[in-house]
Amino acid sequence: MARGITNFRFLIIGHGKEEGWLRQHLRTRSSPGCFAAATWGALTRIWIYLCSLSHTDTFGNVVLEALASGVPAIVTPDGGPRYIVRDGETGSVATDELFSAAIARIILDPELHAQMRVAARVYAQSASWDSVFEGVYSTYDEVLARHGR
């Protein structure tokens, strides 16, 4: 709002330790709680971007599902989602202090947003558990080779 952006609404999904604070302080919000999987697809069609403020998420399935729906994600530099989002391409990786600037950048630049939507979908289509495990196994091989095993 300080940047003059007023045509938005926060949709808070799920529950967490900050839920009460968010309900109290976010004026333009809906807080429906949790959704069934069948509802997820319909929701992602109306989103401009997904914000994942978690500092502890291990993998980021929600982030990957958003990307697969063509929804750019803004995530923290902590936890697993930072490895899923390609900063500046499929979304943004931002510290708490720069999170609102990352959101504003996407909102205020429709061309960037459109590019991120396409890139997010393309990237997510290439993601699979096989590719995740290939990366893990490759890292194991590198570590073992360094230690002569």
Side-chain angles (χ1 to χ4, degrees), residues 55-108:
H55 292 274
T56 59
D57 194 355
T58 55
F59 178 73
N61 279 331
V62 169
V63 172
L64 187 56
E65 289 169 2
L67 297 179
S69 299
V71 177
I74 304 166
V75 302
T76 66
D78 306 311
R82 73 173 180 232
Y83 298 108
I84 297 171
V85 173
R86 294 181 174 165
D87 192 32
E89 184 181 339
T90 63
S92 295
V93 178
T95 62
D96 292 347
E97 297 79 21
L98 298 176
F99 221 83
S100 63
I103 294 169
R105 181 173 167 238
I106 293 173
I107 290 174
L108 295 172

Side-chain angles (χ1 to χ4, degrees), residues 34-73:
C34 295
F35 288 95
T39 310
W40 184 255
L43 286 172
T44 57
R45 284 193 290 277
I46 63 170
W47 291 351
I48 295 172
Y49 56 85
L50 170 81
C51 292
S52 177
L53 298 166
S54 175
H55 292 274
T56 59
D57 194 355
T58 55
F59 178 73
N61 279 331
V62 169
V63 172
L64 187 56
E65 289 169 2
L67 297 179
S69 299
V71 177

Side-chain angles (χ1 to χ4, degrees), residues 112-140:
L112 173 65
H113 180 246
Q115 291 169 354
M116 284 183 168
R117 288 183 66 88
V118 171
R121 181 116 170 88
V122 168
Y123 169 75
Q125 287 175 334
S126 72
S128 69
W129 281 113
D130 288 341
S131 66
V132 169
F133 286 118
E134 286 173 19
V136 170
Y137 298 146
S138 175
T139 300
Y140 286 161

